[in-house]
């Protein structure tokens, strides 16, 4: 009798964790690419923070919207409880929203912001990201502060800062709005600027390097400031600047990015990257995971249940500027 009881206890102990695991909400996670530094870190954080709370199934779309649509259809067929999608093309999110609605599944979009009217069409669709306007402003404020402290870096002494801009993917809200608002903030801060040129480098470090090398060929020492829509492109630009002899001895040039990725923080510590603006992957991941847990349980999402700023089903995680003086 005692032996049978022990066997039963042992069985229960073994099955317990399995049963608990099976009860976790099933979540299909679709990311636009597995090769993007920031997205890799964000998805890694979602995985970490979802542990023990969500049963996550993560797939990558390799930059192909059709592939992503198929992946999401497959997740629905597999019976997920919640969808989390980082769309390839933010405008195509309208299709994903309609699909989720048709299957009555909660949908959390992240990092690539759907159009507000698309999001409004389904009351179980949410967006988690950052405010790219504010990030652009912080970049512009960093630039203005730099030239207030280093007027000698107006190399030709004309009272105007000649700059080049490295842009992320066209149509991505973060590329468009960071570009616009960084310029507005420089002007608002009283910094006179002239954009020598802008190049699109699709968020990529390799392209950032290539485009910056081209810009240096065309403009050389006329470039006094580099603004990049993200850190990877800023780090690529720094590689090109180093190859052209900058950052050796006293030849510095301010380069400003966004994201605060680990390699960017290292470059700030080394004095190559002047500054960046945080794109807080840890808090965005926490906001996505907490939201999925609530939605899967059909719980209300409001100020009592959810500790993140929520406005018409949009969550913007705040960002901060980082330089050597404020390195975390
Ligand atoms: C980040 C970029 C990233 C892009 C991907 C942006 O918010 O700043 O580094 O490549 O999102 O969608």
């Amino acid at each position: 009798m005692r032996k049978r009881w022990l066997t039963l206890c042992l069985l229960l102990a073994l099955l317990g964790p399995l049963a608990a695991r099976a009860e976790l909400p099933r979540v299909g996670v679709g990311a636009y690419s597995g090769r993007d530094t920031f997205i890799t870190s964000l998805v890694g954080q979602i995985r970490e923070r979802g542990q023990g709370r969500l049963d996550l199934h993560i797939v990558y779309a390799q930059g192909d919207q059709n592939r992503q649509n198929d992946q999401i259809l497959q997740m629905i067929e597999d019976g997920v409880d919640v969808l989390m999608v980082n769309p390839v093309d933010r405008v195509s999110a309208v299709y994903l929203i309609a699909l989720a609605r048709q299957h009555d599944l909660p949908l959390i979009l992240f990092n690539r912001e759907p159009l507000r009217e698309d999001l409004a069409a389904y009351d179980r669709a949410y967006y988690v990201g950052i405010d790219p306007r504010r990030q652009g402003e912080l970049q512009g404020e960093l630039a203005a502060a730099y030239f207030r402290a280093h007027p000698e870096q107006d190399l030709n002494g004309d009272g105007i800062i000649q700059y080049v801009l490295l842009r992320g993917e066209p149509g991505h809200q973060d590329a468009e709005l960071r570009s616009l608002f960084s310029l507005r903030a420089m002007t608002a801060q009283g910094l006179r600027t002239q954009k020598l040129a802008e190049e699109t480098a699709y968020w990529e470090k390799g392209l950032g390097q290539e485009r910056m090398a081209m810009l240096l060929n065309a403009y050389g020492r006329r470039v006094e400031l580099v603004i990049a829509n993200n850190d990877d492109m800023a780090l690529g630009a720094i590689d090109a600047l180093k190859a052209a002899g900058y950052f050796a001895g006293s030849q510095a040039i301010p380069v400003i990015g966004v994201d605060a990725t680990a390699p960017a923080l290292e470059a700030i510590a080394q004095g190559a990257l002047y500054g960046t603006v945080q794109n807080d992957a840890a808090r965005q991941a926490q906001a996505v995971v907490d939201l999925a847990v609530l939605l899967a349980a059909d719980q209300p999402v409001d100020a009592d249940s959810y500790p993140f700023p929520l406005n018409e089903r949009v969550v913007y995680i705040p960002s901060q500027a980082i330089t050597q003086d404020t390195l975390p």
Side-chain angles (χ1 to χ4, degrees):
M1 181 65 188
R2 196 178 141 78
K3 206 167 159 203
R4 268 166 73 193
W5 174 241
L6 274 176
T7 319
L8 189 70
C9 285
L10 196 67
L11 246 165
L12 279 176
L14 281 173
L15 287 177
L18 280 180
R21 192 182 155 77
E23 278 165 23
L24 293 179
R26 270 175 78 87
V27 181
V29 185
Y32 97 96
S33 163
R35 290 180 49 229
D36 180 303
T37 309
F38 175 72
I39 293 298
T40 307
S41 132
L42 181 55
V43 172
Q45 294 269 358
I46 291 177
R47 196 194 295 274
E48 217 170 275
R49 280 149 208 273
Q51 248 178 40
R53 302 179 73 199
L54 299 171
D55 176 16
L56 296 166
H57 298 263
I58 303 173
V59 293
Y60 298 91
Q62 297 170 20
D64 179 343
Q65 187 62 62
N66 289 331
R67 180 192 291 259
Q68 185 171 61
N69 293 349
D70 290 345
Q71 289 172 332
I72 306 299
L73 278 170
Q74 187 59 50
M75 287 171 185
I76 296 175
E77 226 168 85
D78 293 346
V80 294
D81 303 304
V82 178
L83 292 167
M84 271 182 198
V85 190
N86 165 225
V88 176
D89 169 12
R90 61 191 285 252
V91 180
S92 301
V94 64
Y95 167 74
L96 301 173
I97 292 168
L99 201 62
R101 184 179 180 184
Q102 185 189 334
H103 292 271
D104 197 21
L105 283 174
L107 169 65
I108 303 168
L109 297 159
F110 61 96
N111 171 261
R112 292 170 167 234
E113 185 169 346
L115 302 180
R116 286 297 162 100
E117 61 263 35
D118 294 342
L119 195 67
Y122 179 38
D123 63 358
R124 298 180 84 199
Y126 288 77
Y127 173 70
V128 175
I130 43 70
D131 181 359
R133 297 166 195 81
R134 181 70 193 131
Q135 290 184 327
E137 266 168 25
L138 288 168
Q139 282 191 298
E141 286 168 18
L142 278 179
Y146 178 90
F147 285 101
R148 270 198 299 272
H150 300 280
E152 75 285 359
Q153 285 296 125
D154 174 11
L155 300 173
N156 61 0
D158 66 350
I160 302 173
I161 300 308
Q162 277 76 28
Y163 77 101
V164 295
L165 174 69
L166 291 174
R167 298 181 71 114
E169 196 182 323
H172 191 307
Q173 79 283 341
D174 292 349
E176 306 299 338
L177 294 169
R178 285 172 193 164
S179 301
L180 184 66
F181 281 78
S182 55
L183 173 58
R184 280 197 190 167
M186 288 193 286
T187 311
Q189 295 268 316
L191 190 69
R192 292 177 66 202
T193 59
Q194 177 195 2
K195 185 166 66 188
L196 291 174
E198 61 174 44
E199 287 289 338
T200 296
Y202 295 88
W203 305 123
E204 287 180 25
K205 184 176 176 193
L207 284 175
Q209 174 175 12
E210 204 181 293
R211 302 285 142 93
M212 189 66 214
M214 274 168 47
L215 290 167
L216 285 173
N217 264 334
Y219 299 100
R221 294 280 288 165
R222 288 180 65 200
V223 180
E224 294 167 336
L225 163 70
V226 181
I227 297 193
N229 285 164
N230 80 342
D231 285 343
D232 264 13
M233 297 188 296
L235 294 176
I238 287 173
D239 286 346
L241 285 161
K242 280 186 176 163
Y246 287 83
F247 300 111
S250 60
Q251 262 207 38
I253 187 168
V255 179
I256 300 174
V258 179
D259 280 344
T261 58
L265 295 180
E266 219 178 286
I268 292 180
Q270 288 163 2
L273 183 65
Y274 170 63
T276 187
V277 174
Q278 191 190 25
N279 196 3
D280 195 336
R283 292 202 73 216
Q284 288 180 67
Q286 193 67 52
V288 163
V289 167
D290 286 0
L291 189 53
V293 169
L294 287 172
L295 292 171
D298 232 343
Q299 298 281 321
V301 183
D302 54 33
D304 292 333
S305 63
Y306 189 63
F308 296 94
L310 188 68
N311 184 13
E312 294 180 345
R313 301 198 306 282
V314 171
V315 180
Y316 277 159
I317 299 300
S319 307
Q320 275 169 22
I322 300 175
T323 60
Q324 231 173 33
D325 299 337
T326 52
L327 266 181

